Amino acid sequence: MARLDLSQKLAILSDAARYDASCASSGTARRDSRDGKGLGSTEGSGICHAYTPDGRCISLLKILMTNFCIYDCAYCVNRVSSNVPRARFSVDEVITLTIEFYRRNYIEGLFLSSGIIRSPDATMADMLRIAKRLREEEHFRGYIHLKTIPDAAPELIAEAGLYADRLSINVELPTDQSVRAYAPEKNPATIRKAMGDVTSHQAATTERSYRGKRPKRFAPAGQSTQMIVGADGATDATILQHSTRLYGDYKLRRVYYSAFSPIPDATIKLPLIKPPLVREHRLYQADWLLRFYGFGVDEITAARPDGNLDLEMDPKLAWALQNRALFPVDVNKASKEMLLRVPGFGTRSVGRILSTRRHRSLRYTDLLRLGASLKKARAFITARDWSPGALTDSAHLRAQFAPPPKQLSLF
């Protein structure tokens, strides 16, 4: 095997990391200036974008430590039986890349994942060594996200949480049966135990000692996980039920949904085509409704009999169309819980509505100024000077929101 230089390794291992959705920005076109024409690039650099809780967009160096792997997960492009170019960073190379990119203001942090080499413990030990040296020797104060390995020794994961801002452990697929079928070397119970250990360590850091001293912070940005969508036959209802349990049991910050992408030399058990990207988008919208809008899984997935989300419109609008008897609601009298269920009303606009209506009665134009999307909401609300009349019960209301028909390609 030819010896690769650092830039070649970066090209291979940043491209291999793009399948991890845990901090990815998606939907961009493939554009680059490596042919000498133009400036800039949207791929190949290993830099992705993530968003902080306060809405800031930050840049992260997103790489695999290696795409060599001893496991043979059917859905993974880096599985041991896959015929792809392989590369491996040393511990020193990852540290050098991170520091040099940071000094040049290219990045604000590191997202590090890896294939499994030699053993889970050996791989996790190298990742831990990288995070520890960045913090203690390089005095790196940027963001570090480690994709930890559930099969590794618990003490390695426990130590990793002292240096990383966020830890994530992939549950891989929506059901235990699918994990056993497509990733037989991985054990769902082991994955859940590792997630539970992280949760326990986080809870312990909130407890002060008898002298009032607080323990060292452990993964202060919490933990997340990723689930592949469309590789098995799981419905959206099954996926969202699993996510709800994960949020409740392990206090996760995020569950990321990654649409399955067909890979070379794949097993016949996998689908030949990828699911529509809009399905991934609808799952994120539904996830938001479950976490912040008071919806239940059964409510969100009731619009279709097959347990999947409506791909033509967002799940809140689909629910409202199925439950027109509850509408229209009076924005000057309705409860917060009901206002949150109005299509086009977000948590911020509802907060502004509740605050403003204490002082005066709201008109249609007031709602516009408060940030509500009345294109969706107008059929489901009344205000001081607005009533939808027969619009709420119109037989053609769904057609107003459905996307226009598209001509399909014949080739």
Side-chain angles (χ1 to χ4, degrees):
M1 178 177 173
R3 187 176 182 86
L4 303 176
D5 62 30
L6 195 58
S7 63
Q8 291 171 319
K9 291 181 182 181
L10 181 59
I12 292 172
L13 295 175
S14 63
D15 183 68
R18 66 189 170 93
Y19 293 98
D20 199 311
S22 298
C23 70
S25 54
S26 59
T28 185
R30 287 177 171 266
R31 300 185 300 270
D32 68 74
S33 57
R34 285 172 288 182
D35 58 0
K37 299 177 182 179
L39 297 171
S41 174
T42 60
E43 59 171 329
S45 66
I47 296 176
C48 74
H49 299 93
Y51 291 88
T52 62
D54 61 2
R56 291 182 301 111
C57 179
I58 62 173
S59 299
L60 302 177
L61 174 62
K62 181 182 178 183
I63 53 174
L64 297 185
M65 190 173 69
T66 181
N67 65 341
F68 286 99
C69 192
I70 61 175
Y71 290 171
D72 200 24
C73 304
Y75 50 81
C76 182
V77 70
N78 299 314
R79 67 194 185 281
V80 67
S81 60
S82 181
N83 183 24
V84 296
R86 305 284 184 172
R88 177 182 174 185
F89 284 129
S90 68
V91 170
D92 289 337
E93 285 173 332
V94 175
I95 293 170
T96 298
L97 279 172
T98 304
I99 296 302
E100 293 303 318
F101 274 42
Y102 191 83
R103 284 174 176 164
R104 288 167 172 77
N105 203 30
Y106 296 162
I107 61 168
E108 295 170 80
L110 170 68
F111 177 95
L112 183 64
S113 185
S114 182
I116 311 300
I117 47 173
R118 299 195 304 276
S119 70
D121 283 355
T123 306
M124 191 68 231
D126 283 345
M127 296 176 70
L128 171 58
R129 195 173 299 116
I130 290 168
K132 187 173 183 178
R133 284 182 54 186
L134 281 171
R135 295 298 195 205
E136 295 187 346
E137 296 180 18
E138 302 294 339
H139 306 291
F140 180 71
R141 296 294 178 262
Y143 179 86
I144 297 179
H145 182 159
L146 293 184
K147 181 57 66 72
T148 49
I149 300 166
D151 294 322
E155 55 269 22
L156 291 174
I157 298 177
E159 190 175 1
L162 301 177
Y163 302 103
D165 294 280
R166 173 170 289 186
L167 299 178
S168 54
I169 301 171
N170 285 356
V171 295
E172 307 294 347
L173 292 164
T175 66
D176 289 359
Q177 294 84 352
S178 295
V179 175
R180 286 190 284 266
Y182 293 99
E185 291 124 328
K186 294 183 178 179
N187 186 340
T190 301
I191 295 171
R192 287 192 289 270
K193 181 182 182 305
M195 295 174 73
D197 289 343
V198 171
T199 304
S200 298
H201 287 303
Q202 286 179 302
T205 61
T206 64
E207 301 173 2
R208 296 181 182 270
S209 69
Y210 70 95
R211 293 183 177 178
K213 188 175 180 180
R214 190 183 295 275
K216 189 175 179 180
R217 295 193 309 168
F218 183 91
Q223 71 168 317
S224 60
T225 192
Q226 176 175 319
M227 201 182 306
I228 298 171
V229 175
D232 61 352
T235 65
D236 293 337
T238 300
I239 293 169
L240 293 170
Q241 286 164 356
H242 190 32
S243 297
T244 301
R245 289 193 296 270
L246 292 172
Y247 280 122
D249 293 345
Y250 305 111
K251 307 297 185 289
L252 299 185
R253 291 294 180 91
R254 288 291 299 275
V255 174
Y256 290 90
Y257 306 98
S258 177
F260 168 72
S261 180
I263 55 179
D265 307 316
T267 172
I268 59 173
K269 294 189 294 184
L270 292 172
L272 296 176
I273 58 174
K274 62 183 179 181
L277 194 58
V278 70
R279 183 185 181 192
E280 180 185 306
H281 180 57
R282 296 294 180 226
L283 283 168
Y284 278 117
Q285 290 177 318
D287 183 282
W288 219 252
L289 294 181
L290 293 171
R291 295 164 62 202
F292 302 114
Y293 288 80
F295 282 82
V297 174
D298 292 341
E299 293 177 297
I300 294 173
T301 57
R304 287 180 44 162
D306 61 359
N308 288 316
L309 298 171
D310 191 331
L311 299 184
E312 291 189 340
M313 57 189 60
D314 71 78
K316 188 200 277 193
L317 179 57
W319 176 85
L321 289 171
Q322 290 289 114
N323 294 272
R324 297 191 206 188
L326 301 175
F327 298 99
V329 299
D330 187 343
V331 295
N332 289 297
K333 297 179 181 179
S335 66
K336 177 181 179 180
E337 291 72 23
M338 198 61 211
L339 288 174
L340 285 171
R341 290 174 175 251
V342 174
F345 282 10
T347 54
R348 290 185 180 180
S349 56
V350 167
R352 291 166 184 160
I353 289 170
L354 294 173
S355 178
T356 305
R357 77 183 189 183
R358 295 175 191 159
H359 309 289
R360 59 189 177 86
S361 185
L362 293 169
R363 297 176 180 270
Y364 189 89
T365 54
D366 294 327
L367 297 174
L368 287 171
R369 286 193 291 267
L370 294 175
S373 174
L374 294 185
K375 182 178 180 181
K376 291 182 179 179
R378 62 198 301 270
F380 302 99
I381 60 167
T382 61
R384 182 177 175 181
D385 61 345
W386 169 257
S387 173
L391 181 61
T392 306
D393 297 319
S394 169
H396 305 291
L397 183 58
R398 178 184 171 88
Q400 294 183 25
F401 298 111
K406 293 183 179 180
Q407 174 65 52
L408 298 178
S409 173
L410 298 177
F411 304 101

